[in-house]
Amino acid sequence: PYASYWFPLEILSWSPTTDPDALYNRSGVDLKSKYVDSITIVNPNARFNEAKVNPLSAFAPTSNNPSQGSLDINYYTFSYWQYTDLLVLWGGSAGEGLILAPNPTIIDAAHRNGVRILGNVFFPPTVYGGQIQWVVDFLQKNGNTFPVADKLIEVAEYYGFDGWFINQETVGGNSQTAANMRDFMIYIQENSDLEIEWYDAMTESGAVSWQNQLNSQNDWYFQWGDTLVSETMFLNFWWNSTGLNNSRTLAQSLNRSEYELFAGIDVEANGYNSSINWSAPFPNTLPHVTSLGIYRPDWCYNSSSGIANYYDRSSIFWVGWNNDPSNTTTTSSWKGFANYIPAFTTILEVPFVTNFCTGQGYDFYINGEKLSYPELSTTGWNNLSLQDVLPTWRWIVQSSGTKLT
């Protein structure tokens, strides 16, 4: 079975009763509660109850993406959930499909760690094959209903994920397109408990024009009078300090939190070697200005030379060059997210049991007995449904003697 993806007209005919893979795409894990307070903050720079972190991560191709893992150890087994508030399954292409539901394996791992996960709706720029007709199909109405919105609700509720990320970057729309998109999102809010994240691309005129801030050109996709339109907004990457501060002021004037705005950073090409103006969202010793969105932190995996190197890159990326979230001191401008964001945990009761499984390996044991399956020893396996809740802090080693490694 494979994870689901559709064009707008295709999703209208989807039903779990006729899709043979639907059962295998359902998550079995409810969203867990998570906890943090001032006494659990291990880094003196991290601020409590302020900015949140939202990765946009690709885990596999749009098509032929196995629902239940595969016999291949090589997979992006993201595991730094403790710094993450919300995750978007990134993907979609003009040649395959525009609407992607997350694999149940990723939903399971996210929910086990108290992280909400959104499916992706991607209308690509025309240079990448985008067609305005797909937007028209998406926003079609039948009386007072939006048929595609009803299907988005049905898919998310059946599969067990938390909502949708909507990114409309296809040119050719007008003010009516923009108003229809706003009303489409309001319709989902009124007819479900799902949440929506809007990407800063199409403006209220229907033109595609990245604002890089919340302003009068895009604020009705966030809040329209007394009506909530989207729970969060991902601001495009070319922001500056003035724009983020203005975004905070406007969000507050709309009776919304500035931390529901995610200032996007693009790390797809260079990862922790990216040049980021950290002081704009995270001014030193002052409250955070907005939250932070991360486009393609799967760079840690995609740029790696192997699994061990992937783990090393992930540690630097998330907790810094010392591999210690309590000590992010470095001459590098990249200090790791542990420098700004305290770790959350879903470990709220005892006993707590873990096998320290990251969701991939070469061997597999059942009740202590190694499974005899010849392919495993050479290809390995991956399945994020089997990922355990991992240590909250990696790695704080306190010793007066020779430290463990």
Side-chain angles (χ1 to χ4, degrees):
Y2 293 104
S4 298
Y5 59 95
W6 306 268
F7 289 100
L9 293 182
E10 287 180 331
I11 200 172
L12 291 175
S13 61
W14 178 84
S15 170
T17 61
T18 57
D19 178 356
D21 289 351
L23 182 65
Y24 304 102
N25 282 313
R26 300 190 84 174
S27 170
V29 180
D30 293 330
L31 181 65
K32 306 301 183 193
S33 298
K34 60 183 180 180
Y35 174 80
V36 66
D37 70 12
S38 56
I39 64 170
T40 66
I41 297 177
V42 297
N43 191 294
N45 302 302
R47 300 186 69 93
F48 173 54
N49 271 349
E50 294 188 14
K52 299 175 174 63
V53 173
N54 173 202
L56 273 57
S57 298
F59 287 78
T62 296
S63 57
N64 298 318
N65 177 7
S67 299
Q68 300 284 334
S70 61
L71 281 174
D72 187 352
I73 195 172
N74 295 300
Y75 194 78
Y76 178 52
T77 50
F78 176 66
S79 63
Y80 285 84
W81 303 103
Q82 64 267 43
Y83 299 107
T84 303
D85 187 67
L86 176 70
L87 184 136
V88 173
L89 178 85
W90 181 257
S93 73
E96 297 169 289
L98 311 179
I99 303 169
L100 272 69
N103 311 45
T105 49
I106 303 167
I107 304 171
D108 286 353
H111 281 184
R112 189 173 290 123
N113 286 277
V115 173
R116 305 182 314 285
I117 181 165
L118 306 183
N120 192 35
V121 179
F122 175 46
F123 295 103
T126 52
V127 68
Y128 296 120
Q131 301 176 27
I132 193 63
Q133 184 61 45
W134 287 331
V135 181
V136 174
D137 295 341
F138 185 75
L139 297 174
Q140 64 180 281
K141 292 196 73 173
N142 181 8
N144 294 321
T145 70
F146 289 91
V148 173
D150 287 331
K151 281 297 178 181
L152 293 183
I153 293 169
E154 182 183 4
V155 166
E157 290 179 346
Y158 180 82
Y159 285 160
F161 59 95
D162 304 290
W164 294 94
F165 180 91
I166 301 179
N167 175 14
Q168 201 308 82
E169 296 189 69
T170 306
V171 299
N174 54 33
S175 58
Q176 188 61 56
T177 311
N180 289 346
M181 183 68 79
R182 177 200 65 207
D183 295 345
F184 181 100
M185 296 194 289
I186 293 172
Y187 180 87
I188 291 177
Q189 301 287 2
E190 292 175 342
N191 290 279
S192 74
D193 293 324
L194 302 179
E195 67 176 89
I196 297 170
E197 183 167 7
W198 175 254
Y199 183 79
D200 157 38
M202 185 171 71
T203 65
E204 295 168 21
S205 72
V208 174
S209 176
W210 297 271
Q211 300 299 297
N212 309 293
Q213 62 182 314
L214 180 70
N215 62 21
S216 62
Q217 300 301 305
N218 61 17
D219 61 355
W220 81 6
Y221 297 114
F222 186 56
Q223 184 75 25
W224 192 45
D226 294 331
T227 302
L228 182 142
V229 183
S230 62
E231 278 76 3
T232 52
M233 182 184 286
F234 192 104
L235 304 179
N236 191 55
F237 312 118
W238 312 318
W239 41 260
N240 56 40
S241 182
T242 299
L244 293 189
N245 277 286
N246 290 342
S247 299
R248 171 170 62 182
T249 299
L250 179 53
Q252 292 174 345
S253 76
L254 297 171
N255 294 316
R256 297 288 299 275
S257 169
E258 62 267 40
Y259 302 126
E260 292 165 345
L261 302 174
F262 292 90
I265 63 172
D266 183 353
V267 299
E268 180 181 21
N270 296 308
Y272 48 64
N273 299 309
S274 304
S275 178
I276 308 295
N277 179 13
W278 294 107
S279 63
F282 303 142
N284 191 33
T285 74
L286 295 174
H288 296 156
V289 178
T290 64
S291 289
L292 194 77
I294 315 172
Y295 179 68
R296 304 299 301 274
D298 44 295
W299 170 89
C300 297
Y301 172 76
N302 295 331
S303 66
S304 67
S305 59
I307 296 299
N309 184 243
Y310 157 52
Y311 289 167
D312 288 342
R313 286 173 180 259
S314 295
S315 182
I316 295 168
F317 189 92
W318 289 94
V319 304
W321 296 88
N322 302 318
N323 300 306
D324 179 345
S326 67
N327 174 18
T328 50
T329 301
T330 176
T331 57
S332 171
S333 63
W334 189 283
K335 301 182 187 304
F337 295 98
N339 185 72
Y340 313 102
I341 309 295
F344 287 82
T345 181
T346 54
I347 305 170
L348 304 179
E349 58 188 13
V350 292
F352 166 68
V353 177
T354 182
N355 295 299
F356 302 103
C357 176
T358 61
Q360 63 196 155
Y362 282 111
D363 297 330
F364 198 93
Y365 293 80
I366 299 177
N367 295 328
E369 295 292 328
K370 183 176 176 179
L371 189 66
S372 179
Y373 195 65
E375 287 185 66
L376 282 181
S377 61
T378 54
T379 67
W381 59 270
N382 73 81
N383 188 326
L384 273 170
S385 287
L386 301 176
Q387 184 186 80
D388 285 300
V389 174
L390 296 167
T392 304
W393 296 291
R394 289 184 270 172
W395 304 95
I396 301 170
V397 182
Q398 296 172 335
S399 171
S400 59
T402 302
K403 294 189 188 305
L404 293 172
T405 58

